[in-house]
């Protein structure tokens, strides 16, 4: 292509796109997070497939049934499925993906800071923030700790 | 309704619930920053705006003079051939009057906007710009002849805004 | 030769300014309803196509991936298609390829849009669809381009704002009978004329609202469909076409690209005289003038004559040639991709006598759905027929 322009003549245009969103938690999310605020963990249940989903969904991704039944999952029944460590300005934090026996899915959270090192398969419990600090968010779980 | 179409699902959230936060809301904001390469044709276009000139690009096969300029002809699908300077006058192809801004809020003063077909380019070739020095809204017409009002040379930066607006001839 | 393809079910959620459901949940509810309406289960679905417009509304990048589970696409050949506002009618066209080609017997087409998350107003996202270097610095908003096109259309054929307003009056009244509708209303031409000026000639009541919602249809091979019904609804034809990206160089008074798309669909459907051989149509109406513009592009009316046809009452639901019996985007709402799909659902509901209070009076065999989008340059057309 005959550019007919030298490099200095090529221009750039700079701008920015500020964006802001407010997301609803949805049918399943609203209920799940309100329960979390109460210190309770619940999964939705697909009776056809005999499956529990966490975080809960209003549908089964396999059989596509509408899920209306929910069941308690004990915050003490978790195990570390995988983990990774993040180093940032405020120090090192360990992110864990915690699964629960018999439940499809899992919860992302932090491992309790301290001397204990996480291990895959380690039994853990969800420790909730004090009730007055909970907001109806996944961060209502302060951390997971070794049992 | 037939027996199969009975119920339409969905749960509305009222404006009040949304504002008061009686439903859980998660908020995020971001400010995405970009720096876009202008490419050959638009770089030249912007550089010439800085010189107070409008430039188009000619395709020798269909004989069209294209504004805004591009290095390829979308009809003939070949490279265009040469730069052609047009006039800085034109005709209002269509216009409207904006009372609201990008976020749908009201503007203090309405903005006159138009697609202006540029004299010296092929018929129908033009670009979007603003109109001003309008005495009355009724004065604006499709087909109205207009002329570019340029910024002072020292103020030009190589931007579409080097033309302040178009005014009636 | 492509295989014959049928529509065997349709579903949609309510269309509202703000919905509690997440985009996935909206997609699920519409898809579930479509499967129930077809009387089949997800295990019978071979392939899934999802359609959704710019990610900026829902505020989720890679919305195709995000919508997957809710659209029934998990562990299936699945893809997302996107042609701006035309997506809603293009999605079932893409599903049609899946079945017509012999690739699958059953393909789901799902469209979703949740515009309410974007603050302070969904319109904001549209600002970044314009050219960043030579248009955005002018302060352009989406309404500008509509206003400029509407003005040019009015100029070309000497059409008055009042004639255009009749479309809004008709569609909002039709929407009163749609259980999902967001803005059904009994209004007058005077109400439209007196409504807030946004970007003249566009006024508040010339415009469809921003909405949340989802809609879905199930497409199947003729053989599969005949197991469910003796008298299925066939996809008779489809077409799509696009104009130049240099929008300021286009003829804004006539949508030639839509004529091209329509002729492609008519050829496939064996339609020579669309006005006589099509019984009713759902044409894209994000703005009232667009219904008229599109009627002309679809060859229902000669250039500049759609307003006369509208004024004659012919396009009323009980008229000779109903246009937008659903209530359209102006009345039912405009969750972009879902709004186009809503039109496909409406054609299906009408052809199968499931439209309830909206059922058009005359007997109908052939209906058309059309959508329009990208930077005002894309049209998708789908024709359904029941013998």
């Amino acid at each position: 292509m005959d550019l007919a322009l030298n490099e200095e003549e090529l221009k750039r245009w700079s701008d920015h796109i500020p964006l802001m969103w407010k997301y609803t938690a949805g049918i399943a999310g609203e209920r799940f997070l309100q329960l979390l605020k109460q210190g309770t963990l619940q999964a939705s249940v697909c009776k056809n497939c005999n499956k529990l989903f966490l975080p809960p969904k209003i549908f089964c991704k396999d059989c596509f049934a509408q899920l209306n039944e929910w069941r308690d999952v004990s915050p003490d029944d978790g195990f570390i499925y995988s983990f990774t460590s993040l180093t940032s300005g405020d120090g090192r934090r360990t992110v864990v993906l915690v699964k629960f026996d018999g439940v499809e899915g899992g919860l992302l959270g932090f491992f309790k800071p301290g001397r204990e090192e996480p291990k895959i398969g380690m039994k853990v419990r969800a420790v909730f923030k004090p009730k007055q600090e909970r907001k109806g968010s996944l961060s209502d779980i302060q951390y997971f700790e070794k049992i | 309704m037939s027996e199969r179409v009975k119920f339409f699902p969905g749960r509305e959230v009222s404006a009040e619930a949304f504002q008061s936060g009686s439903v859980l809301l998660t908020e995020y904001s971001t400010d995405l920053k970009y720096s876009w390469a202008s490419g050959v044709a638009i770089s030249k276009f912007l550089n010439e705006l800085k010189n107070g000139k409008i430039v188009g690009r000619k395709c020798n096969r269909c004989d069209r003079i294209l504004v805004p300029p591009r290095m390829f002809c979308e009809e003939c699908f070949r490279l265009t051939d040469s730069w052609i300077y047009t006039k800085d006058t034109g005709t209002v192809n269509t216009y409207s009057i904006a009372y609201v801004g990008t976020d749908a809020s009201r503007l203090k003063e309405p903005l006159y906007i138009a697609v202006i077909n540029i004299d010296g380019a092929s018929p129908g070739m033009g670009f979007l710009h603003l109109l001003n020095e309008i005495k009355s809204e009724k004065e604006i017409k499709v087909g109205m002849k207009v002329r570019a009002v340029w910024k002072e040379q020292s103020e030009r930066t190589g931007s579409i805004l080097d033309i302040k607006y178009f005014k009636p001839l | 030769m492509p295989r014959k393809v049928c529509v065997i079910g349709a579903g949609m959620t309510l269309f509202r300014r703000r919905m509690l459901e997440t985009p996935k949940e909206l997609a699920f509810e519409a898809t579930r309803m479509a499967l129930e309406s077809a009387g089949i289960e997800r295990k019978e679905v071979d392939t899934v196509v999802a359609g959704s417009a710019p990610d900026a509304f829902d505020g989720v990048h890679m919305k195709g991936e995000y919508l997957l589970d809710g659209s029934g696409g998990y562990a299936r050949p699945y893809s997302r298609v996107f042609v701006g506002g035309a997506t809603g009618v293009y999605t079932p066209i893409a599903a049609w390829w899946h079945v017509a080609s012999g690739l699958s017997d059953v393909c789901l087409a799902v469209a979703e849009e949740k515009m309410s998350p974007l603050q302070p107003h969904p319109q904001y996202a549209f600002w970044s669809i314009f050219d960043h270097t030579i248009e955005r610095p002018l302060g352009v908003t989406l309404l500008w381009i509509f206003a400029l096109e509407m003005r040019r259309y009015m100029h070309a054929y000497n059409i008055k704002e009042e004639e255009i307003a009749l479309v809004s009056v008709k569609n909002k009244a039709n929407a009163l009978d749609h259980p999902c509708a967001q803005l059904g209303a009994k209004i007058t031409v005077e109400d439209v004329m007196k409504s807030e000026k946004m970007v003249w000639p566009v006024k508040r009541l010339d415009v469809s609202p921003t909405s949340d919602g989802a809609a879905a249809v199930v497409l199947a091979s003729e053989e599969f469909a005949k197991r469910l019904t003796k008298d299925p609804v066939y996809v008779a034809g489809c077409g799509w076409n696009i104009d130049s990206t240099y929008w300021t160089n286009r003829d804004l008074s006539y949508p030639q690209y839509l004529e091209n798309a329509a002729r492609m669909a008519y050829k496939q459907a064996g339609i020579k005289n669309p006005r006589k051989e099509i019984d009713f149509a759902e044409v894209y109406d994000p703005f009232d003038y667009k219904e008229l513009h599109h009627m002309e592009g679809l060859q229902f009316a000669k250039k500049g004559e759609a307003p006369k046809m509208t004024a004659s009452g012919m396009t009323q639901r009980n008229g000779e040639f109903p246009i937008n019996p659903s209530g359209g985007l102006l009345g039912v709402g405009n969750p972009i991709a879902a709004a186009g799909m809503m039109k496909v659902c409406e054609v299906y509901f009408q052809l199968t006598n499931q439209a309830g209070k909206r059922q058009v009076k005359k007997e109908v065999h052939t209906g058309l759905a059309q959508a329009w989008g990208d930077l005002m340059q894309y049209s998708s057309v789908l024709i359904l027929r029941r013998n």
Side-chain angles (χ1 to χ4, degrees):
Chain A
M1 193 185 297
D2 170 22
L3 292 183
L5 288 178
N6 60 42
E7 241 177 77
E8 294 81 65
E9 288 175 309
L10 286 171
K11 295 191 62 91
R12 304 187 75 77
W13 187 264
S14 299
D15 203 350
H16 66 127
I17 306 179
L19 290 166
M20 184 164 74
W21 293 283
K22 286 186 185 177
Y23 304 92
T24 59
I27 305 282
E30 181 81 20
R31 174 171 167 165
F32 171 64
L33 295 174
Q34 293 292 3
L35 286 166
L36 212 59
K37 204 172 166 182
Q38 306 302 317
T40 314
L41 216 48
Q42 279 200 351
S44 61
V45 182
C46 177
K47 285 189 276 189
N48 298 338
C49 303
N50 201 19
K51 273 186 181 166
L52 276 73
F53 294 103
L54 193 70
K57 297 164 182 59
I58 61 166
F59 57 89
C60 171
K61 71 183 197 300
D62 291 295
C63 75
F64 227 55
Q66 184 128 25
L67 310 183
N68 299 313
E69 197 181 309
W70 290 48
R71 201 173 296 162
D72 277 328
V73 173
S74 168
D76 295 345
D77 278 354
F79 65 92
I80 295 178
Y81 179 78
S82 191
F83 66 92
T84 183
S85 286
L86 315 168
T87 308
S88 62
D90 49 353
R92 184 165 161 264
R93 294 208 286 179
T94 300
V95 175
V96 285
L97 175 56
V98 174
K99 297 209 172 207
F100 296 82
D101 282 332
V103 180
E104 191 168 310
L107 298 178
L108 264 186
F110 292 105
F111 191 64
K112 184 184 182 179
R115 287 179 133 192
E116 196 70 55
E117 287 294 325
K119 284 194 177 60
I120 287 178
M122 179 187 275
K123 298 274 185 197
V124 291
R125 76 161 61 91
V127 178
F128 286 84
K129 284 181 180 167
K131 200 163 189 182
Q132 63 276 13
E133 288 176 30
R134 293 181 208 149
K135 287 182 283 197
S137 143
L138 262 185
S139 64
D140 290 352
I141 296 177
Q142 191 161 8
Y143 49 69
F144 291 89
E145 65 176 10
K146 185 183 176 189
I147 296 176
Chain B
M1 293 285 147
S2 89
E3 34 188 290
R4 276 186 184 162
V5 183
K6 279 185 208 144
F7 168 75
F8 291 90
R11 270 166 62 184
E12 186 176 11
V13 177
S14 68
E16 296 72 41
F18 200 76
Q19 296 310 327
S20 72
S22 64
V23 292
L24 292 171
L25 294 172
T26 311
E27 292 185 34
Y28 282 106
S29 61
T30 182
D31 193 3
L32 305 171
K33 294 181 176 64
Y34 292 90
S35 184
W36 294 283
S38 302
V40 174
I42 295 300
S43 288
K44 173 80 172 172
F45 182 65
L46 297 177
N47 286 327
E48 293 297 351
L49 288 178
K50 197 172 175 183
N51 297 329
K53 290 180 195 161
I54 297 171
V55 71
R57 195 73 194 161
K58 187 168 180 225
C59 171
N60 285 346
R61 187 173 297 170
C62 63
D63 234 15
R64 290 188 309 160
I65 297 168
L66 308 163
V67 175
R70 44 259 197 192
M71 300 312 289
F72 60 90
C73 173
E74 70 280 5
E75 296 224 348
C76 308
F77 214 61
R78 61 186 286 280
L79 293 174
T80 48
D81 299 281
S82 54
W83 301 105
I84 303 280
Y85 291 92
T86 66
K87 296 183 179 171
D88 70 347
T89 54
T91 310
V92 171
N93 171 332
T94 181
Y95 72 94
S96 74
I97 305 167
Y99 296 90
V100 293
T102 41
D103 60 356
S105 63
R106 304 294 296 174
L107 296 172
K108 282 192 196 108
E109 293 289 332
L111 215 49
Y112 306 118
I113 58 190
V115 173
I116 294 146
N117 291 348
I118 299 297
D119 291 338
S122 292
M125 287 289 145
F127 53 83
L128 180 70
H129 220 289
L130 308 171
L131 299 176
N132 212 330
E133 298 188 37
I134 304 292
K135 288 183 206 83
S136 125
E137 284 175 11
K138 289 200 175 120
E139 190 191 348
I140 315 173
K141 296 261 181 327
V142 171
M144 181 170 78
K145 299 296 288 181
V146 290
R147 173 188 295 284
V149 176
W150 298 85
K151 281 186 179 163
E152 290 300 322
Q153 192 161 8
S154 60
E155 291 172 19
R156 292 183 213 142
T157 58
S159 150
I160 192 71
L161 300 176
D162 288 349
I163 296 174
K164 288 201 275 188
Y165 49 80
F166 284 77
K167 69 171 188 181
L169 251 183
Chain C
M1 275 296 284
R3 288 206 293 177
K4 284 187 176 176
V5 180
C6 302
V7 179
I8 59 171
M12 65 183 285
T13 67
L14 305 181
F15 285 4
R16 292 289 183 271
R17 177 68 179 86
R18 292 174 194 84
M19 295 289 272
L20 179 61
E21 282 88 346
T22 61
K24 274 186 233 246
E25 290 175 344
L26 287 170
F28 165 73
E29 287 172 344
T31 306
R32 178 77 248 161
M33 180 176 167
L35 288 173
E36 272 168 19
S37 124
I40 66 166
E41 289 296 329
R42 193 185 90 98
K43 63 182 178 219
E44 294 167 274
V45 173
D46 301 310
T47 49
V48 180
V49 182
S52 201
D55 293 355
F57 296 119
D58 297 61
V60 180
H61 271 192
M62 306 202 300
K63 224 192 303 180
E65 168 275 330
Y66 177 79
L67 292 172
L68 159 74
D69 295 87
S71 306
Y74 163 67
R76 294 284 189 282
Y78 168 88
S79 54
R80 172 203 185 175
V81 294
F82 171 54
V83 288
T87 301
V89 172
Y90 188 73
T91 308
I93 291 175
W96 173 82
W97 309 333
H98 285 63
V99 182
S101 63
L103 177 74
S104 38
D105 284 328
V106 179
C107 182
L108 261 172
V110 184
E112 179 279 343
E113 217 75 56
K114 185 164 181 176
M115 300 174 78
S116 66
L118 191 66
Q119 305 297 314
H121 193 278
Q123 167 159 327
Y124 200 74
F126 287 120
W127 165 69
S128 61
I129 69 178
F130 288 92
D131 185 282
H132 39 68
T133 305
I134 62 167
E135 287 170 350
R136 278 173 46 183
L138 299 167
V140 63
T141 75
L142 187 71
L143 288 172
W144 286 24
I145 196 169
F146 291 113
L148 291 165
E149 188 180 71
M150 178 169 171
R151 182 70 194 88
R152 185 72 203 183
Y153 175 60
M154 288 164 63
H155 171 81
Y157 307 113
N158 196 22
I159 295 162
K160 295 195 169 49
E161 286 173 82
E162 288 84 348
E163 296 176 89
I164 293 172
L166 280 171
V167 172
S168 192
V169 173
K170 166 177 72 72
N171 292 2
K172 285 179 192 293
N174 282 351
L176 285 169
D177 295 325
H178 201 306
C180 298
Q182 182 178 346
L183 277 187
K186 201 97 203 133
I187 59 164
T188 64
V189 168
E190 205 187 356
D191 293 331
V192 180
M193 294 300 294
K194 282 187 174 163
S195 65
E196 179 195 8
K197 280 187 204 167
M198 298 183 80
V199 180
W200 183 84
V202 172
K203 302 165 291 298
R204 174 74 63 186
L205 290 175
D206 292 314
V207 192
S208 58
T210 58
S211 318
D212 295 351
V217 292
V218 190
L219 271 65
S221 64
E222 182 183 32
E223 191 189 358
F224 189 98
K226 286 224 161 146
R227 278 190 251 145
L228 303 169
T229 171
K230 278 188 212 144
D231 183 18
V233 172
Y234 289 90
V235 174
C238 53
W240 60 101
N241 202 280
I242 189 163
D243 200 344
S244 160
T245 293
Y246 298 96
W247 68 271
T248 57
N249 298 169
R250 290 183 210 143
D251 174 4
L252 296 175
S253 65
Y254 182 71
Q256 181 61 45
Y257 50 94
L258 171 55
E259 180 180 333
N260 300 349
R263 291 197 185 282
M264 178 176 168
Y266 296 157
K267 190 177 172 196
Q268 192 187 346
I271 289 173
K272 300 234 160 39
N273 182 344
R275 172 54 203 88
K276 295 289 173 208
E277 294 170 62
I278 292 168
D279 298 314
F280 70 102
E282 282 283 325
V283 309
Y284 207 60
D285 62 326
F287 290 71
D288 44 12
Y289 82 94
K290 286 309 301 184
E291 176 170 313
L292 305 169
H293 217 221
H294 289 150
M295 283 164 62
E296 293 169 16
L298 286 163
Q299 315 300 303
F300 294 159
K302 291 199 179 101
K303 288 180 185 179
E305 291 190 0
K308 279 185 212 127
M309 220 165 133
T310 305
S312 76
M314 195 192 274
T315 62
Q316 295 285 341
R317 186 186 287 147
N318 294 330
E320 195 186 316
F321 191 56
I323 301 288
N324 289 331
S326 67
L329 278 53
L330 287 160
V332 186
N334 188 5
I336 307 184
M341 185 72 86
M342 174 277 283
K343 290 185 170 293
V344 178
C345 292
E346 181 70 8
V347 173
Y348 175 77
F349 291 147
Q350 291 284 353
L351 291 176
T352 52
N353 278 306
Q354 298 186 80
K357 280 203 269 180
R358 301 185 313 288
Q359 192 65 45
V360 302
K361 263 208 184 124
K362 66 174 189 179
E363 195 181 306
V364 288
H365 294 282
T366 304
L368 177 147
Q370 176 251 335
W372 170 75
D374 277 346
L375 197 57
M376 322 204 323
Q377 69 199 128
Y378 200 105
S379 261
S380 43
V381 175
L382 185 72
I383 302 166
L384 302 184
R385 187 184 281 148
R386 194 183 195 195
N387 297 326

